[in-house]
Amino acid sequence: MALAVEAATATTTGAGRDPRAWDFVRLKLRLLRNGFRGQAWRVVAFVFGLLFGLWAAGLAVLGFSVSADASPDVGFVVAAFAGTAVVLGWTLVPLLFFGVDETLDPARFALLPVPRMILARGMLAAAFVGVPAAATMLGTSGLVLAAGRRFGEAELGAAAVGAAFVGVVTGLTLGVVASRAVTSAFAALLRSRRVRDLAAVIIAVLASSIGPLQWAITAAVQQGSLDQQGSLDRAMRIAEVLSWTPLAAPYVLPYDVAEGQWAVAGLRLAITLGTIAALMWWWSGTIESAMIGVATGGAAKPVKGAGTGAVAALIPRALRGVVRPTAFGAILARESRFWWRDARRRASLVSILMASAVLPIALNLASSGAASRGRTSELGFSFAVTMAGTMGGMLLANQFAFDGNAYTAHLLAGVPGRVELRARAAAIALVAVPVQVVVVVAVTLLAGTPEQLPTGFGMLAASFGSAIAAAAVLSVLAPYALPENANPFAINSGGGSAKGMLALVALIGTLVISMPVLVAAFLLGSSAAGAWLVLAIGLAYGTAAALLGTYIAGDVLERRGPEVLVAVTPRR
């Protein structure tokens, strides 16, 4: 309501004028400031996100600066590939790992007389306020520095530097608009469960393939190092194709201007601006759909109890006869249903599971491309399998936020903390473990090393159990609320930094906890007897880690359950 009042005030400022982009920026800054009050953990997460963004931007600037000393063809390839990664990253990666900041939720403006195109422009301006946009702008400004070093003394050097700056600005604008347009469209389209699941699968496959694709390209270049000119020619052909798409067109402008190809530069700039205009038009159309409430899931289907009573009928059919109607069984049945029926949970589940399938396979292929057989490929196999188990457990890193204030029922019922956490972990294991087993089998078969299958299963069990332990502790110590939004990819302002930091902490914690089994796999996995020994060690270690982690976190949850409830309850 406060957001609506402030927005209404903005719409009436200046003798009833329409709101301007600056009004949305001021509103975003005020909401950011208010969101940090009394939330020390959010301030810490923001600072860590800022430091990480500066570090990544510094590396990008350094990389672009170094590329200025290479040949123009190498610089062109770097610019095209980097620009493509930036635009695709802005469009897809936040949906999978960080979410999209929906501080200015379009639904809050539904009752206000704000034209949709003005609303789209204002929300676009507000989207530039934050660490991701600032870090991207700073990092890609290395292209301007590279253009100055490469073309500074040329006849059209100043024009090339100016073209590089225009390319950096338009490229960032394209990425931000694409991200907002895609999520807004999904908020309107994800009313059907089938469409929502398909969209999540597509996003996960594309997003999780960006990094591995780059590694695979790097491995291919390294593999062809004896024929450097041939490798460069292949990369140039790919870069030429990308340069005529909106993904890389703005970032190769300085090379066209430096050569005096004004028509080519103008055409590429027109492609970029035309794409931005088309995305803005698309976004303004979908904003109206996102403003008019949420859709229902359709008429409820009658549940057949199979003559076992109302309580037993609440347990999914596949679990009946195995799960008893206890506190553990009730939470297990509830979580099993909600992971498929709740829009936000299902989007996270499908995205993470698809990423845990695509990422390890791509990583293993990239590592095997860099080194055929030997210790290097074994390390790549170990890392790929460990990532599969880790990403499955990361679904529980903020598990109470999906409940929100509904977690009150669990507190009032006096559910023991360890029972709560173990039931939730068992529910996600029912879905994640089969997928991860298939991933391990696929990785071993693609690598041509079926003898590593027992070792892979052992590392998978250890990493998944360690991920459950790390996620259990994080979900109790650092929970945060999710916005009440129809868009399953939305996240509160500042929540993106918290989500990214928690994911990083969970990843590091899982690797540290499962390190003994990884070391054992590296030392013993080369022999048949050692592989089966690693399997036994991994199963025992993963089970013990999960039980111990949920035991410790469960005790903490029983002491600070009310604080967890307050933290995951959305603010109105």
Side-chain angles (χ1 to χ4, degrees), residues 126-537:
F128 284 93
V129 179
V131 174
T136 304
M137 186 65 188
L138 180 60
T140 52
S141 64
L143 289 171
V144 181
L145 178 61
R149 292 186 57 192
R150 184 184 295 276
F151 306 116
E153 299 179 358
E155 181 180 356
L156 298 175
V161 173
F165 178 77
V166 172
V168 166
V169 174
T170 55
L172 175 59
T173 304
L174 175 63
V176 175
V177 174
S179 177
R180 297 290 164 160
V182 168
T183 54
S184 181
F186 282 158
L189 293 176
L190 301 186
R191 302 176 186 269
S192 167
R193 180 178 300 179
R194 294 179 179 177
V195 174
R196 189 183 295 120
D197 293 342
L198 178 61
V201 170
I202 294 174
I203 290 173
V205 171
L206 293 177
S208 58
S209 299
I210 294 176
L213 180 61
Q214 292 177 329
W215 295 332
I217 293 174
T218 303
V221 172
Q222 293 175 350
Q223 202 172 24
S225 58
L226 296 178
D227 184 15
Q228 295 181 359
Q229 187 59 42
S231 300
L232 181 59
D233 290 342
R234 289 192 294 270
M236 273 295 296
R237 287 194 292 269
I238 299 175
E240 283 287 352
V241 174
L242 292 175
S243 68
W244 288 105
T245 68
L247 300 175
Y251 294 96
V252 299
L253 290 178
Y255 294 89
D256 297 327
V257 173
E259 296 177 1
Q261 299 180 358
W262 297 101
V264 175
L267 183 56
R268 283 178 173 150
L269 182 60
I271 291 174
T272 305
L273 296 178
T275 304
I276 294 175
L279 289 173
M280 284 293 296
W281 174 80
W282 182 33
W283 185 17
S284 66
T286 56
I287 279 181
E288 187 173 353
S289 299
M291 291 168 61
I292 54 176
V294 298
T296 64
K301 297 181 179 179
V303 178
K304 297 181 180 180
T308 56
V311 175
L314 296 176
I315 301 176
R317 189 179 300 274
L319 301 179
R320 293 174 192 170
V322 179
V323 177
R324 301 181 60 185
T326 60
F328 179 90
I331 297 176
L332 174 60
R334 172 187 179 273
E335 292 295 301
S336 299
R337 289 184 182 274
F338 277 23
W339 275 111
W340 287 113
R341 294 190 177 185
D342 181 68
R344 193 188 304 276
R345 294 193 191 212
R346 188 166 60 250
S348 300
L349 177 65
V350 177
S351 298
I352 291 297
L353 288 184
M354 287 301 302
S356 67
V358 174
L359 187 60
I361 294 175
L363 284 174
N364 190 69
L365 291 177
S367 64
S368 62
S372 55
R373 295 287 183 95
R375 287 303 192 186
T376 305
S377 60
E378 289 180 10
L379 288 175
F381 172 76
S382 301
F383 185 67
V385 173
T386 303
M387 284 297 297
T390 300
M391 297 190 72
M394 282 171 55
L395 285 166
L396 302 173
N398 192 32
Q399 52 192 312
F400 298 102
F402 294 112
D403 295 348
N405 55 14
Y407 181 61
T408 306
H410 295 242
L411 292 180
L412 295 177
V415 180
R418 68 195 66 170
V419 173
E420 176 91 38
L421 294 172
R422 289 172 182 175
R424 291 173 180 263
I428 201 63
L430 291 175
V431 181
V433 171
V435 176
Q436 294 168 350
V437 168
V438 173
V439 170
V440 174
V441 174
V443 168
T444 55
L445 293 180
L446 290 174
T449 55
E451 66 277 3
Q452 288 187 323
L453 198 57
T455 302
F457 285 149
M459 289 188 295
L460 175 64
S463 60
F464 185 68
S466 301
I468 289 177
V473 175
L474 286 175
S475 64
V476 175
L477 296 180
Y480 59 91
L482 298 177
E484 295 179 317
N485 196 301
N487 187 350
F489 301 106
I491 194 167
N492 288 323
S493 179
S497 299
K499 187 176 180 180
M501 189 176 70
L502 284 179
L504 180 61
V505 172
L507 175 61
I508 296 175
T510 300
L511 292 176
V512 171
I513 296 173
S514 60
M515 187 59 65
V517 178
L518 300 182
V519 173
F522 184 75
L523 296 176
L524 305 175
S526 57
S527 64
W532 288 103
L533 181 59
V534 171
L535 173 59
I537 294 175

Side-chain angles (χ1 to χ4, degrees), residues 415-419 476 553-562:
V415 180
R418 68 195 66 170
V419 173
V476 175
D555 285 347
V556 178
L557 179 60
E558 291 180 5
R559 294 195 302 268
R560 66 185 312 267

Side-chain angles (χ1 to χ4, degrees), residues 73-153:
D73 289 345
V74 172
F76 185 88
V77 169
V78 170
F81 279 41
T84 300
V86 166
V87 177
L88 287 180
W90 261 97
T91 307
L92 302 173
V93 172
L95 302 180
L96 182 61
F97 294 106
F98 301 102
V100 177
D101 182 6
E102 288 291 348
T103 302
L104 301 184
D105 184 2
R108 305 290 179 89
F109 296 85
L111 300 180
L112 301 179
V114 182
R116 62 184 186 181
M117 184 55 74
I118 293 179
L119 179 60
R121 288 200 297 265
M123 293 182 66
L124 175 62
F128 284 93
V129 179
V131 174
T136 304
M137 186 65 188
L138 180 60
T140 52
S141 64
L143 289 171
V144 181
L145 178 61
R149 292 186 57 192
R150 184 184 295 276
F151 306 116
E153 299 179 358

